Amino acid sequence: MNDPLKALAADQVDLRYKGFAPSIGGLSVADLAGRGLAEAGFAFPLLTLDQAAVEHNLQAMARYCREHGVRIAPHGKSTMSPELHALQLGAGAWALTAATVHEVAVYRSFGVARILLANELADARAVHWLAVELAGHPDFEFFCYADSLAGVDLLAGAAGRLPGARIGVLVEIGYPGGRAGCRTVAGALDVASAVASAAPLRLAGVAGYEGLLGSDYSAAEAAVADYLRSLKNAAREVLAAGLHDAGREFVVSCGGSAFFDVVTRELTGGWPAGLDVTVVLRCGSYLTHDDGMYERVSPFARDPALGGPLRPALLLWAHVLSVPEPGLAIVGAGRRDLAYDAGLPKPKLIWRRAAPAPEVLAGAATAGLNDHHAFLRAGPDPLQVGDLIGFGVSHPCSAFDRWRLIPLLDGRWQVTGCVHTFF
C-alpha cells in the first residue's frame, strides 16, 4: 500500500475538502503536519481524529485477538480510509471486510491482498471483474457469501474458468426473521455441496452476523449465544461432510463491534481434532470508538479485564454563532456534518477565544439539529459567539461518510497527518 498512500500524502488540499479551504488551499496534505488546530486556517466545522486514541484502540484489539486465539478482518466500511486500513493491516489484521463491490475495488486500488466481502454477490459483471483480478494477481485472495443454489450458480457462471481465479465462498448461516443466510443445516449443506462442485469456486468456511439480534447485552446475549451455537453446529456438519479444501484453513466468521466477546467464547475451541479452523471477527468501529452507541455496547466497556476501555477518537469542532437567549447557543454544525442516527452529538470541549487550549465543557447538551446548525442547551459554563465547541459523536460509520479528509491531532492539538475517505 506504500506507493498509493504516498500519493495521498502529496494530494493538494482544495475545494473538494470541506473544513480545509479556502485558506489552506494549495498546500499538500503532508504540508499540514505540525500546524495547530486553532492556527492552521481550517474552515469550521471540521471533523478531527485523536491520534493517541486511535493507536490505543488499535493495540487493544490486536492484543485481544492474540490473547484469545482469534483473527480480525476489520470492517473497512466504518472508515473507508486507506490510511486507517493500513494501520489495521500493519497491526496484524487477517484481511479487510467489505460490504459492497465498490469497497472491494477501493481496497484493491491500495493493494489489499485479502478481502472478505461479508455479503452475497449477485452482480455478474462484478463477479467477472473479481475473477479477472484473481487470475491476474496470484497474491490476491477473495471471499464472499452464498446462501442459495441460485447464488452459487450465478457466482460459478459469471466467474467462468479463468486459471487461478477461484473465489472463496463462505456459506452464510442465518436465523428466522433475520437478514440473509441459510435457515437450516440441510440448506447449508446443499449450498456447501454446490460450492464444492463448482470449478471456479472453493468452499472456504461458514459465516454469519449476530448484530441484528439486539445491542443491549443483558437483553440480547442469550439470543446471540443460541445463534452462534447454531452457526457452529452448521460448521461442524459442513466439516464432517468433507467438502472444504483439504489442507487449507476453514474460516468461521462472525462478530461485529458489540458482541465479539460472545463470538470468541462460543466459536473458539471444541472443533474436531486435526482441522485448521480460523475464527475471524469483523469488528469495524473499535478503531475510533465513539461517545454514545459503542461507548455503551463495546465488550471493552462491560469487561475491563479485556484490556480496555477503548477511547473515543472523533471530535467535530464548530463555532458558536449566536447566543440568542439565556441558556441557548446556536453552533455552526448540523446534520450535514455530524452523525446523529444513533444519538445526538455530545458537546465535550470548549476552546474559548484567545485561550491556549480547550477545556472540558460541563453541563451542555445538544437539543436538536438542522442541516447546518446545532441547538445547544448551555450548562453553567457561559458560551460566547466565536467559542469553538468540540462534539463527540455516536456511531463512527455515520461520522466518516460526511467527510473526505480528516486531520489527525496529537496531544498538543497539532496536526500529525490526515486520512482520506472513499465513500
Side-chain angles (χ1 to χ4, degrees):
M1 298 180 70
N2 287 339
D3 289 343
L5 290 178
K6 288 179 181 176
L8 289 184
D11 186 22
Q12 296 295 303
V13 180
D14 56 30
L15 288 170
R16 292 171 294 166
Y17 303 125
K18 70 176 182 178
F20 289 78
S23 56
I24 294 179
L27 298 178
S28 73
V29 169
D31 290 336
L32 297 174
R35 295 169 179 257
L37 175 65
E39 299 83 27
F42 292 114
F44 296 92
L46 178 73
L47 184 68
T48 65
L49 279 168
D50 180 337
Q51 182 175 5
V54 169
E55 292 174 350
H56 167 83
N57 298 341
L58 181 73
Q59 296 307 318
M61 182 56 79
R63 183 169 57 250
Y64 174 88
C65 292
R66 289 194 303 270
E67 293 176 353
H68 291 83
V70 296
R71 306 300 298 270
I72 188 167
H75 212 319
K77 69 170 184 179
S78 295
T79 67
M80 283 307 294
S81 169
E83 293 96 340
L84 296 178
H85 295 163
L87 288 178
Q88 292 170 302
L89 291 167
W94 178 83
L96 275 184
T97 296
T100 69
V101 173
H102 166 75
E103 293 169 7
V104 174
V106 171
Y107 300 173
R108 283 301 294 156
S109 73
F110 287 90
V112 178
R114 183 186 284 142
I115 300 171
L116 193 167
L117 178 68
N119 217 341
E120 277 67 26
L121 186 50
D123 181 340
R125 290 181 182 272
V127 176
H128 182 71
W129 170 75
L130 283 161
V132 172
E133 189 77 2
L134 286 162
H137 299 86
D139 62 335
F140 176 37
E141 192 172 9
F142 175 79
F143 306 84
C144 66
Y145 291 176
D147 69 353
S148 68
L149 299 183
V152 174
D153 288 344
L154 190 153
L155 286 172
R161 294 182 178 273
L162 292 171
R166 297 185 76 195
I167 293 174
V169 177
L170 305 178
V171 179
E172 186 173 9
I173 309 301
Y175 54 87
R179 204 162 57 185
C182 298
R183 297 309 201 242
T184 65
V185 172
L189 285 169
D190 287 343
V191 173
S193 179
V195 172
S197 301
L201 313 178
R202 69 176 185 88
L203 182 64
V206 302
Y209 179 56
E210 79 293 346
L212 297 182
L213 289 165
S215 59
D216 180 79
Y217 181 84
S218 60
E221 189 271 339
V224 169
D226 284 346
Y227 164 63
L228 292 168
R229 290 169 194 143
S230 71
L231 185 147
K232 189 171 189 178
N233 180 56
R236 285 175 174 273
E237 293 295 327
V238 171
L239 283 165
L243 299 170
H244 68 292
D245 280 3
R248 301 193 69 160
E249 64 184 349
F250 186 85
V251 175
V252 179
S253 180
C254 215
S257 295
F259 290 103
F260 63 78
D261 56 338
V262 185
V263 172
T264 300
R265 184 188 76 205
E266 296 295 336
L267 296 186
T268 54
W271 296 102
L275 292 175
D276 183 11
V277 175
T278 300
V279 177
V280 177
L281 308 177
R282 302 192 307 274
C283 321
S285 296
Y286 72 90
L287 187 64
T288 62
H289 200 48
D290 72 2
D291 282 289
M293 177 178 172
Y294 289 108
E295 181 184 31
R296 297 187 298 271
V297 306
S298 170
F300 285 107
R302 60 177 174 262
D303 186 358
L306 297 182
L310 300 180
R311 301 177 187 170
L314 289 160
L315 279 173
L316 187 289
W317 296 91
H319 286 112
V320 175
L321 305 180
S322 175
V323 186
E325 60 188 64
L328 175 66
I330 307 301
V331 180
R335 290 187 292 256
R336 298 292 182 93
D337 315 299
L338 286 154
Y340 62 92
D341 61 308
L344 291 172
K346 176 183 177 182
K348 296 175 63 177
L349 298 175
I350 180 169
W351 201 328
R352 303 179 194 279
R353 288 176 296 171
E359 310 164 8
V360 173
L361 178 59
T366 304
L369 298 174
N370 292 156
D371 275 1
H372 294 288
H373 297 88
F375 293 74
L376 207 63
R377 291 296 175 187
D381 286 349
L383 303 180
Q384 298 182 16
V385 172
D387 289 341
L388 198 58
I389 306 298
F391 291 89
V393 299
S394 182
H395 195 198
C397 298
S398 297
F400 277 93
D401 65 7
R402 288 162 169 77
W403 296 87
R404 296 184 62 190
L405 189 62
I406 305 168
L408 285 155
L409 303 179
D410 64 15
R412 298 178 299 163
W413 307 100
Q414 290 188 328
V415 178
T416 60
C418 295
V419 303
H420 293 74
T421 68
F422 284 75
F423 287 96

